[in-house]
Amino acid sequence: MNKRIEKLRNVFEENNIDAMLVTNSKNLRYLARFTGSAGAALITKNEAFFITDFRYRTQATNQAVGFKIVIHKEGIFKEVQQLLEQHSINRIGIEAQDMIVSSYLDIQKLFKASIVPTQGVIEKIREIKEEDELAIIKEACKITDESFDHILTFIKPGMTEIAVANELERFLKDKGASAMSFDTIIASGVRSAMPHGVASDKVIEEGDIITLDYGCYYKGYSSDMTRTIAVGSIDPKLEEIYHIVLEAHERVNQGAKAGMTGKEVDALARDYITEKGYGDYFGHSTGHGLGLDVHELPAVSFKNENPLQENMVITNEPGIYIEGLGGVRIENDLIVHADSVEQLNHSPKHLIII
């Protein structure tokens, strides 16, 4: 029995649905282990169907174990409509955050069942990781650590940020990564004040501080790590900021645990940075969930009043950014335990000067 499907069925009643149409690719991977690019799943109270086309017949049969494989000839949604009729489904849930408007208009015409837009139903289930998921995320973090060791020997004044990003990607893929988790952030000098300063053609210079924020996908799961380093001597103000951010980061590592709300964990870092006079320069949340998506539930922010639970995976990434000067961010990935958090990244966090 697929425990993940059972968890989904257990929330049918609270969402007032008889079945769920799953179209989000990450959720298809989660429920059906399917890694192809064309397919959908229909989960009813008693059955699980995977609908795809002839190109993916073999792949779906091998991956979507426990599903009845349906090969459509006239489109996925027409096949779903037939299944809804055959199984007397009156209310079908859809993934409102994933379905494009044209598809929604199509199913409005096709489906006789009532369409119920849902948000985050499967994503909520995905928050708590299983042991095999945790093992893969740990491996993704391990090769991310290895890449940091490597890139410290590679970065030199005179090379561009994008050259550093390309070398990181090459190294990670050599280690088994399938892709980067997101566009690699290499932000040097004053560009380091841009929290999402993706790698550019700016040349790295003596006296620059460099934020490196990157991660990889490994066997479908992501890592996300940030380190900030210096090239030669840097402005004393930046050095001061570095140590404040590091202390805020460590306060989360030492204080976070299951039962605390996302807001309370966020406050561990935010209150310290505010106390030091830089609250206005820390404008993003302290962290986010991590898994099949690099940004997923739960939010580690002042908006999240829900308690964290054991085996959730979150990031811890406070930062301070001063326009015209530069910025600092330090980030690790964490597994939430009953009385603590487990750090998955082991790259050094002291101020490294190359």
Side-chain angles (χ1 to χ4, degrees):
M1 180 185 294
N2 187 321
K3 291 181 181 178
R4 297 175 181 181
I5 291 176
E6 286 307 307
K7 288 177 183 178
L8 175 57
R9 287 176 175 145
N10 288 340
V11 297
F12 276 9
E13 187 173 347
E14 67 188 71
N15 286 281
N16 195 23
I17 58 176
D18 305 314
M20 185 77 182
L21 176 61
V22 184
T23 51
N24 177 279
S25 62
K26 300 294 175 61
N27 290 338
L28 289 172
R29 181 164 190 152
Y30 182 72
L31 292 175
R33 315 280 179 170
F34 182 71
T35 60
S37 60
L42 177 65
I43 313 297
T44 72
K45 292 177 180 177
N46 301 304
E47 303 279 4
F49 300 96
F50 193 88
I51 305 103
T52 187
D53 62 56
F54 76 97
R55 297 172 300 168
Y56 293 102
R57 183 194 300 272
T58 300
Q59 183 174 346
T61 301
N62 291 337
Q63 292 181 333
V65 177
F67 284 73
K68 293 184 177 178
I69 309 302
V70 178
I71 305 301
H72 72 81
K73 294 182 179 178
E74 297 184 75
I76 286 176
F77 295 141
K78 284 189 178 180
E79 201 67 51
V80 170
Q81 164 55 20
Q82 293 176 19
L83 291 169
L84 294 177
E85 288 189 10
Q86 291 168 16
H87 295 271
S88 303
I89 302 300
N90 296 315
R91 295 180 65 79
I92 175 75
I94 63 166
E95 297 179 292
Q97 290 170 299
D98 177 71
M99 185 172 287
I100 62 175
V101 174
S102 61
S103 294
Y104 181 68
L105 294 174
D106 287 343
I107 65 171
Q108 275 189 315
K109 295 175 185 175
L110 278 171
F111 292 2
K112 295 176 182 176
S114 297
I115 300 167
V116 181
T118 70
Q119 293 191 28
V121 173
I122 299 169
E123 288 83 353
K124 189 71 179 171
I125 296 169
R126 282 168 41 189
E127 283 187 273
I128 299 175
K129 305 300 188 283
E130 298 167 2
E131 288 302 319
D132 63 329
E133 294 180 287
L134 294 175
I136 295 170
I137 293 170
K138 285 180 180 181
E139 189 63 27
C141 290
K142 178 175 179 287
I143 63 176
T144 303
D145 277 335
E146 291 172 359
S147 70
F148 183 68
D149 290 342
H150 170 72
I151 210 66
L152 288 178
T153 69
F154 178 82
I155 298 174
K156 299 288 188 298
M159 65 176 51
T160 62
E161 294 171 349
I162 203 160
V164 176
N166 289 341
E167 179 63 14
L168 275 171
E169 182 167 350
R170 182 203 63 76
F171 185 92
L172 285 161
K173 288 186 176 181
D174 280 352
K175 291 290 183 178
S178 59
M180 302 302 283
S181 301
F182 50 90
D183 288 342
T184 298
I185 295 168
I186 307 291
S188 61
V190 294
R191 290 191 75 251
S192 62
M194 301 166 61
H196 280 186
V198 296
S200 74
D201 58 4
K202 178 193 172 297
V203 172
I204 294 168
E205 303 173 42
E206 287 281 348
D208 277 355
I209 198 164
I210 311 173
T211 299
L212 304 98
D213 183 353
Y214 64 97
C216 68
Y217 274 104
Y218 177 77
K219 295 184 178 179
Y221 288 80
S222 55
S223 64
D224 186 1
M225 185 179 82
T226 307
R227 292 293 185 268
T228 302
I229 65 173
V231 181
S233 60
I234 57 171
D235 189 297
K237 192 76 171 175
L238 288 171
E239 194 163 349
E240 174 199 348
I241 288 168
Y242 188 95
H243 293 296
I244 293 170
V245 170
L246 179 57
E247 176 61 24
H249 172 88
E250 294 298 359
R251 288 188 177 210
V252 173
N253 293 332
Q254 293 158 14
K257 60 184 178 180
M260 295 177 69
T261 65
K263 181 177 182 177
E264 289 170 334
V265 175
D266 178 81
L268 292 173
R270 192 169 306 282
D271 289 354
Y272 179 74
I273 289 174
T274 300
E275 174 191 322
K276 291 296 182 179
Y278 290 98
D280 290 342
Y281 301 95
F282 177 26
H284 57 74
S285 63
T286 295
H288 52 82
L290 185 78
L292 287 167
D293 280 309
V294 71
H295 289 91
E296 59 180 45
L297 296 173
V300 184
S301 83
F302 69 90
K303 298 177 183 178
N304 184 12
E305 302 279 3
N306 297 317
L308 301 181
Q309 299 180 57
E310 289 186 71
N311 289 344
M312 288 181 171
V313 178
I314 60 173
T315 67
N316 168 20
E317 50 180 304
I320 295 173
Y321 314 91
I322 300 177
E323 191 172 346
L325 177 65
V328 174
R329 182 168 61 255
I330 302 169
E331 175 185 21
N332 269 10
D333 304 330
L334 314 173
I335 300 175
V336 178
H337 294 307
D339 298 310
S340 63
V341 289
E342 176 184 351
Q343 298 187 62
L344 301 184
N345 308 95
H346 304 289
S347 295
K349 287 180 281 189
H350 63 274
L351 180 56
I352 294 171
I353 298 174
I354 58 172

